[in-house]
Amino acid sequence: MKVAIIGGSGYTGGELLRILAGYPGVDIEAVTSRQYAGKKVSAAHPNLEGILDIRFEEPELSGIAERADFVFTATPHGFAMEAAGTFLDAGLKMVDLSGDFRFDDPATYERYYGIPHTAPELNEKAVFGLPELYRDTIRKADLVANIGCYPTTAILGLVPALKAGIIEPGHIVVDSKSGISGAGARPTPMVHFCMADESALPYKITSHRHMPEIEQELKKVNPRARISFVPHIVPVIRGMTTTIHTFLREDVTGEDVRAIYQDFYRGEPFVRIWDAGEVPRMSASRGSNYIDIGGFGVDSERERLVMVVCQDNLVKGASGQAVQNMNIMCGFEESAGLKTIGVHP
Amino acid sequence: MKVAIIGGSGYTGGELLRILAGYPGVDIEAVTSRQYAGKKVSAAHPNLEGILDIRFEEPELSGIAERADFVFTATPHGFAMEAAGTFLDAGLKMVDLSGDFRFDDPATYERYYGIPHTAPELNEKAVFGLPELYRDTIRKADLVANIGCYPTTAILGLVPALKAGIIEPGHIVVDSKSGISGAGARPTPMVHFCMADESALPYKITSHRHMPEIEQELKKVNPRARISFVPHIVPVIRGMTTTIHTFLREDVTGEDVRAIYQDFYRGEPFVRIWDAGEVPRMSASRGSNYIDIGGFGVDSERERLVMVVCQDNLVKGASGQAVQNMNIMCGFEESAGLKTIGVHP
Amino acid sequence: MKVAIIGGSGYTGGELLRILAGYPGVDIEAVTSRQYAGKKVSAAHPNLEGILDIRFEEPELSGIAERADFVFTATPHGFAMEAAGTFLDAGLKMVDLSGDFRFDDPATYERYYGIPHTAPELNEKAVFGLPELYRDTIRKADLVANIGCYPTTAILGLVPALKAGIIEPGHIVVDSKSGISGAGARPTPMVHFCMADESALPYKITSHRHMPEIEQELKKVNPRARISFVPHIVPVIRGMTTTIHTFLREDVTGEDVRAIYQDFYRGEPFVRIWDAGEVPRMSASRGSNYIDIGGFGVDSERERLVMVVCQDNLVKGASGQAVQNMNIMCGFEESAGLKTIGVHP
Amino acid sequence: MKVAIIGGSGYTGGELLRILAGYPGVDIEAVTSRQYAGKKVSAAHPNLEGILDIRFEEPELSGIAERADFVFTATPHGFAMEAAGTFLDAGLKMVDLSGDFRFDDPATYERYYGIPHTAPELNEKAVFGLPELYRDTIRKADLVANIGCYPTTAILGLVPALKAGIIEPGHIVVDSKSGISGAGARPTPMVHFCMADESALPYKITSHRHMPEIEQELKKVNPRARISFVPHIVPVIRGMTTTIHTFLREDVTGEDVRAIYQDFYRGEPFVRIWDAGEVPRMSASRGSNYIDIGGFGVDSERERLVMVVCQDNLVKGASGQAVQNMNIMCGFEESAGLKTIGVHP
């Protein structure tokens, strides 16, 4: 299969290249970058030196649409909704890693991204790209909206408990700590080493774009779900720890909760459920497509339940999940190309 | 005044030495360490090389009690409750940096620290060493229990809002991120660089010893206060960010909340209130005794309010606060010796 | 092939497991650890959770020798020279990751490791496990001494220039910066996060054990070679940057030097030569078996030449190289099991 | 005394403010920043919140020259040589923290900074601002060129040994590791957290601007001095470790060398000489004006001598040294305002 990556010089683009370079049977037909056009991919991604001997090209979409069978858009928001028509009309399947097609209601997009949605009809066809919840619809989709890094942890960490009815839907707190690669490769004051190191900084404490994404999905499980979401950046390159604080509606033990999660995710190739009382650490999934859910801490006296979710924000939180979606869309083995083991320590 | 430090080779001991070495009028009469007895203080604290030319000695308490006017115990829990009698009987004033005298009810201590409290009568006299709330009783105290690093941020960050009645007392979430120095100088697997770096790790997610300390104080404000507290270690040497997630009982703006906090802490020498929407960062207080409260994020749609509190866990969270308590107990200017400015970046 | 790992709970043991778990055709028959005996490998290496479902066992050598075809010893020095006989007599091939068999002269070992060498006859048969220089003898060896992390960078970084005769042999400076995993998993004051972070610390500045290893090999190229080697630990989990400062004996350009290196390493599967003026970064090889040589900085005015070498100290500097040696010893494809791409960023 | 800071929003500007805010008797009359004009200084330097209640202003030089007695220029190179005349003509004394006036020969400046030197006559009057070597001329100077961070460590670390004649002048290697604040506050790809973290990166390996500065001063001690200088950035906010590799001309012990250094720096308020075999660490001087020289490792077999020098690159390597120069120029106590103790850990 011939794959194209639009926007390949950023971190998620680099991860797509890393994964696909080690995926037999997939050819990287084109990778674009305005900034790096004409340069070797190793100019942006030095890990690919000597491994992937191709060059970035200009994003000439219709030409690329003719050459490729499948396309990933790893571009800033606003791009994919303009480009998707070209690819879909040419018969390609597509995974978009931006926020363009993640919302059922384009109005939500417009509110949180601040620009009009220019492809509402495609938005209707797009499928929310979370395999653990939407595998069957992803299988039939031509356009999949790869979901955000924070939402992957929050949604997978909350749905089983919410569905089981054991937690108060109206008092859910999601406190996420993200590696700084989540902010992208562009140098800004926020990601300056001297600002990001020796720090743990909350940002957009009431208004992050991933909040409505989380809420959209949880409200489908329980319409009364109300999320208090605060993202943080911590001095970590890649990795995410999401601490989920909930209040219990019934008397359960950590073991009970763990059993609920194990049942829910039985057979999932990338979800690992940790023992009650065991807390996953970032390095268990670093560089891999695993997502680890653990903690299951119950404090009966205070009627509270805590879950901890970890993943690599660039893999299961972005490019790994995108390839997982591709595998499902194309009928390939779901974990093909994604068997790399986490790098610990 | 002649000061003794019992347990001077750890991080809080080192901070006491750093602060007191730059405090004119205070003589460090004795600093003890079993491990370093006979060695220069710079053997444990290289920053003191050429500045403080004294040596550690063995902790011979009665001898030290004769030589000093004031004593700090920066020892593991269990030590101070055995030693306090010796010092108080000899007429010294004392600040204990451990957990031994922090609880109104010794039973709480015994439950969370797992050992019997051997000095309940002294415990009754001990004053909770949080100057912003207990300045007047500290002034008259001979024995002050310097409070924990996490509780300093949680209590100061919550009391004004709780007192004002604007938040639901039963759904308070305190998610704290601490620098690793909070775990002490002893090498353990948890603080191994390769485990602590590139990580953000929750621990003791339902059972940390600082939780009852927080709850004890908040229940005095509102008996229905219920705290969901999860501490984390992040790859930071010193510093703490506490994110406080609350749910609103009435319709307020961030500005309203900020005004409540400003009123509450007016005149406080070490509490800085940041603008609504501004989030303090660790480096603002690094190495200094300031505590920064900000955020004041209101999401009316979800009826939630978020505060962010930062401090240096070894200064305002430990040794700086201890010296602040000493200043109050001795009738000195409260900020004497504590005017060092934070080291940013 | 059935493989045993003696000493599997440390970092190099963990890397062997990570690599071999993803190596089809290799079965991990046994992995030992006194500390973790009976526990799942994921208790020490959480990245292996759900991937490698085996347990640590006690190091009962003769039993293991019967079950396995190949053995890795990832044990503290002193162990392998006691154990090697058991394995070799039973017909196994062996790669030792410690320093026990690295020196031509056991007296050097005794001087730098401070204990008598108890298997000098085996030492004579052992082959220095650096494939790029000793591939042909490794092919026939039963016992290979996997070489040190620092020596891998220093030797591969210096041999081509030294052989070409372009540098002064008597004034070679090797200044290495290592990730802290090189110090092992045992918690010590040196690897405490608060000591290792925000630091770049030289240690054993004239006496590191890897120095004679480097010198032994360079003296084979030029007996007048004299090395000034200073190792440092930097706040990095895994990775190594070795800066090689040399003085030129003739007038060359950076391009000339690069050509010498390219010729020397032509066809090598894991050596990447960077352009003159380009400096490799740790992330290019993080988690992978590549070693990157670049820089080739010439300052004709000062007659100096600088090379920069990077590798992952746990992979090419330890366990990856060990598997590479195994592949050569067993006649497998040299890069089998070692195709993982570096994790950048 | 009324002091002005031109270019106050960067890291060295911030450090000047931090130091001077705690310096009784010095008034900060003006601090300029084009980017932050009109904003509170805490907008750029949050540690100053509640401490220094002044605002940045536009750099209107002649107006400022009328209001101030002393001026620091903490501006990019090229600015100070244009501005110095205005200040000096108005009778101010001036310390320039840029490279504009550091070279005896303006041609060296032009070669390494790539622009013409527009104030050669002022350059002749400027004094090289290294108090330990030039205290007497600094005392009489109106214009002092504060020297570079790397040169401070290299020059102070080498002059005693070079003067004593114990080392080969033609084979001196200076391998420096700098905290990233040395690169300034401007966000660039090099200082992006994801590029700088988990890394130790040599840069400008044969051409750094600080090299001629080092050589200029060492050639005054021995005209045959030849320096191989390679700077590195390591994942550290502030701090510098310079490892100096030299070759011995005579048979000395580490103790002998240490004695040479102790004699040389006797009475210096900010130079600390460590015991032979003891290596200083960055945290000993973090946030303080100390410079630590130690190591003094002798390997007689290889005729080599290693020194290790540490400092805070923003303090002794920049703004602390600038205030030290100011103190000397103005006849104040040399350590006034500079008594802050290093923040360890």
Side-chain angles (χ1 to χ4, degrees), chain C residues 206-251:
Chain C
T206 56
S207 62
H208 194 278
R209 285 164 177 173
H210 284 178
M211 196 240 301
E213 211 176 301
I214 300 169
E215 226 172 46
Q216 164 180 294
E217 296 305 311
L218 295 183
K219 276 186 185 301
K220 290 178 189 166
V221 180
N222 185 325
R224 291 171 42 236
R226 195 176 56 163
I227 308 300
S228 185
F229 171 60
V230 178
H232 299 69
I233 50 169
V234 290
V236 162
I237 294 176
R238 51 166 81 208
M240 178 173 287
T241 299
T242 293
T243 312
I244 300 175
H245 309 256
T246 64
F247 293 88
L248 285 165
R249 291 173 62 185
E250 34 185 288
D251 203 23

Side-chain angles (χ1 to χ4, degrees), chain B residues 23-333:
Chain B
Y23 190 139
V26 166
D27 282 338
I28 302 169
E29 174 63 31
V31 55
T32 79
S33 164
R34 286 204 178 91
Q35 187 191 347
Y36 284 88
K39 292 193 182 155
K40 297 196 304 180
V41 291
S42 62
H45 312 297
N47 53 333
L48 301 176
E49 174 66 32
I51 291 164
L52 196 61
D53 194 23
I54 59 174
R55 284 172 189 274
F56 290 108
E57 55 183 89
E58 293 283 351
E60 293 173 315
L61 303 189
S62 51
I64 290 167
E66 280 177 34
R67 292 152 52 198
D69 306 312
F70 197 99
V71 65
F72 294 98
T73 41
T75 42
H77 72 270
F79 182 96
M81 64 187 175
E82 300 291 346
T86 304
F87 293 120
L88 296 173
D89 290 350
L92 283 74
K93 298 189 182 214
M94 169 172 169
V95 170
D96 173 37
L97 283 83
S98 84
D100 282 9
F101 296 111
R102 290 178 189 161
F103 297 98
D104 297 342
D105 183 353
T108 310
Y109 177 83
E110 297 181 345
R111 175 171 168 200
Y112 281 91
Y113 287 78
I115 54 172
H117 202 296
T118 59
E121 68 300 334
L122 290 179
N123 193 60
E124 236 168 277
K125 292 182 191 165
V127 171
F128 195 74
L130 188 54
E132 289 76 8
L133 298 187
Y134 292 98
R135 186 170 285 115
D136 290 340
T137 41
I138 293 167
R139 192 168 286 133
K140 301 166 212 149
D142 291 328
L143 172 58
V144 165
N146 212 55
I147 77 164
C149 49
Y150 291 118
T152 302
T153 60
I155 298 169
L156 293 184
L158 273 161
V159 162
L162 200 58
K163 209 161 213 163
I166 57 173
I167 58 172
E168 291 185 27
H171 291 94
I172 293 170
V173 170
V174 175
D175 188 296
S176 284
K177 296 89 185 169
S178 174
I180 286 155
S181 59
R186 207 162 56 86
T188 62
M190 186 191 192
V191 302
H192 191 302
F193 183 85
C194 298
M195 294 299 102
D197 192 43
E198 298 293 306
S199 174
L201 191 70
Y203 67 105
K204 294 185 188 155
I205 56 176
T206 56
S207 62
H208 195 278
R209 284 165 176 173
H210 284 178
M211 196 241 300
E213 210 176 301
I214 299 169
E215 226 172 46
Q216 164 180 292
E217 296 305 311
L218 295 183
K219 277 186 184 303
K220 290 178 189 166
V221 180
N222 185 326
R224 290 172 42 236
R226 193 177 57 163
I227 308 299
S228 184
F229 171 60
V230 178
H232 300 69
I233 51 169
V234 289
V236 162
I237 294 176
R238 52 166 81 208
M240 179 174 286
T241 298
T242 293
T243 312
I244 300 174
H245 310 255
T246 64
F247 293 88
L248 285 165
R249 291 173 60 185
E250 35 185 287
D251 202 23
V252 293
T253 67
E255 263 315 318
D256 296 338
V257 183
R258 186 194 179 235
I260 290 170
Y261 278 72
Q262 253 186 331
D263 282 354
F264 195 93
Y265 291 117
R266 195 173 306 282
E268 282 300 335
F270 296 115
V271 183
R272 297 189 290 205
I273 305 301
W274 293 71
D275 287 347
E278 270 189 50
V279 165
R281 55 169 61 241
M282 286 184 183
S283 60
S285 56
R286 185 150 54 223
S288 86
N289 199 48
Y290 285 96
I291 185 163
D292 293 311
I293 308 178
F296 305 116
V298 168
D299 173 356
S300 330
E301 206 172 322
R302 286 164 199 82
E303 298 168 293
R304 65 195 191 92
L305 164 67
V306 180
M307 264 82 62
V308 177
V309 188
C310 284
Q311 68 176 7
D312 186 321
N313 59 299
L314 292 180
V315 189
K316 183 61 178 170
S319 305
Q321 184 139 274
V323 172
Q324 188 181 355
N325 280 321
M326 178 194 82
N327 285 339
I328 298 169
M329 293 163 80
C330 298
F332 304 155
E333 185 202 354

Side-chain angles (χ1 to χ4, degrees), chain A:
Chain A
M1 190 171 66
K2 295 189 174 178
V3 167
I5 298 165
I6 312 300
S9 67
Y11 292 153
T12 54
E15 282 297 274
L16 285 170
L17 289 168
R18 178 173 76 93
I19 294 167
L20 297 175
Y23 191 139
V26 165
D27 283 336
I28 303 169
E29 172 65 30
V31 53
T32 78
S33 165
R34 287 206 178 90
Q35 189 191 345
Y36 283 89
K39 293 193 183 156
K40 296 196 304 179
V41 289
S42 63
H45 312 297
N47 53 332
L48 300 176
E49 174 66 33
I51 291 165
L52 196 61
D53 194 24
I54 58 174
R55 285 171 188 274
F56 289 108
E57 54 184 88
E58 293 284 351
E60 291 172 317
L61 303 189
S62 50
I64 290 168
E66 280 177 34
R67 292 152 52 199
D69 306 311
F70 197 98
V71 65
F72 295 97
T73 42
T75 42
H77 72 270
F79 181 95
M81 62 188 177
E82 300 291 346
T86 305
F87 294 120
L88 297 173
D89 289 352
L92 283 75
K93 297 188 181 216
M94 168 172 169
V95 170
D96 173 37
L97 283 83
S98 84
D100 283 8
F101 295 111
R102 290 179 190 160
F103 297 98
D104 298 342
D105 183 352
T108 310
Y109 177 83
E110 296 181 346
R111 175 171 168 201
Y112 280 91
Y113 287 78
I115 54 173
H117 202 296
T118 59
E121 68 301 334
L122 291 178
N123 193 61
E124 235 167 277
K125 293 183 190 164
V127 171
F128 195 74
L130 188 54
E132 289 77 9
L133 298 187
Y134 292 98
R135 185 170 286 116
D136 289 341
T137 41
I138 292 168
R139 191 167 287 133
K140 301 167 212 148
D142 291 326
L143 171 58
V144 165
N146 212 54
I147 78 166
C149 49
Y150 291 118
T152 301
T153 61
I155 297 168
L156 293 184
L158 273 162
V159 162
L162 200 59
K163 208 159 213 165
I166 57 174
I167 58 171
E168 290 185 26
H171 291 95
I172 294 170
V173 170
V174 176
D175 188 295
S176 285
K177 297 88 185 168
S178 174
I180 287 155
S181 59
R186 206 162 56 88
T188 62
M190 187 192 193
V191 302
H192 190 301
F193 183 85
C194 297
M195 293 301 101
D197 193 42
E198 298 292 306
S199 173
L201 191 70
Y203 67 104
K204 294 186 188 154
I205 57 178
T206 56
S207 61
H208 194 279
R209 284 166 177 172
H210 285 176
M211 197 241 300
E213 212 176 302
I214 300 169
E215 227 172 44
Q216 164 181 293
E217 296 305 310
L218 295 182
K219 277 187 185 302
K220 291 178 188 165
V221 179
N222 185 327
R224 289 171 43 234
R226 193 177 58 163
I227 308 300
S228 184
F229 170 60
V230 178
H232 299 69
I233 49 169
V234 289
V236 163
I237 295 176
R238 52 165 80 208
M240 177 173 287
T241 298
T242 293
T243 312
I244 300 175
H245 310 255
T246 64
F247 293 88
L248 285 165
R249 292 173 61 183
E250 35 184 288
D251 202 23
V252 293
T253 66
E255 264 315 319
D256 296 337
V257 183
R258 186 194 180 237
I260 291 169
Y261 278 72
Q262 254 186 329
D263 282 353
F264 194 93
Y265 292 117
R266 195 173 307 283
E268 281 298 335
F270 296 115
V271 183
R272 296 189 290 204
I273 305 301
W274 293 71
D275 286 348
E278 270 189 51
V279 165
R281 55 169 60 242
M282 285 183 185
S283 60
S285 55
R286 186 153 50 225
S288 85
N289 199 48
Y290 286 95
I291 185 162
D292 292 311
I293 309 180
F296 305 116
V298 168
D299 174 355
S300 330
E301 207 173 321
R302 285 164 199 83
E303 299 167 291
R304 65 195 192 91
L305 165 65
V306 180
M307 263 83 62
V308 177
V309 188
C310 284
Q311 69 176 5
D312 185 323
N313 60 299
L314 292 180
V315 189
K316 183 61 177 168
S319 305
Q321 183 140 272
V323 173
Q324 189 180 355
N325 280 321
M326 178 194 83
N327 285 337
I328 298 169
M329 294 163 80
C330 298
F332 303 155
E333 186 202 355
E334 189 167 331
S335 59
L338 294 169
K339 285 166 182 160
T340 301
I341 301 169
V343 176
H344 163 90

Side-chain angles (χ1 to χ4, degrees), chain D residues 70-86:
Chain D
F70 196 98
V71 66
F72 294 97
T73 41
T75 42
H77 73 269
F79 182 96
M81 63 187 178
E82 302 291 345
T86 304

Side-chain angles (χ1 to χ4, degrees), chain C residues 151-220:
Chain C
T152 302
T153 59
I155 298 169
L156 293 185
L158 272 162
V159 162
L162 199 59
K163 209 160 213 165
I166 57 174
I167 58 171
E168 290 187 27
H171 291 95
I172 294 170
V173 171
V174 175
D175 189 295
S176 285
K177 297 89 185 167
S178 175
I180 286 154
S181 60
R186 207 162 56 86
T188 62
M190 186 191 193
V191 303
H192 191 302
F193 183 86
C194 297
M195 293 300 102
D197 192 42
E198 298 292 306
S199 173
L201 191 70
Y203 68 103
K204 295 185 187 155
I205 57 177
T206 56
S207 62
H208 194 278
R209 285 164 177 173
H210 284 178
M211 196 240 301
E213 211 176 301
I214 300 169
E215 226 172 46
Q216 164 180 294
E217 296 305 311
L218 295 183
K219 276 186 185 301
K220 290 178 189 166

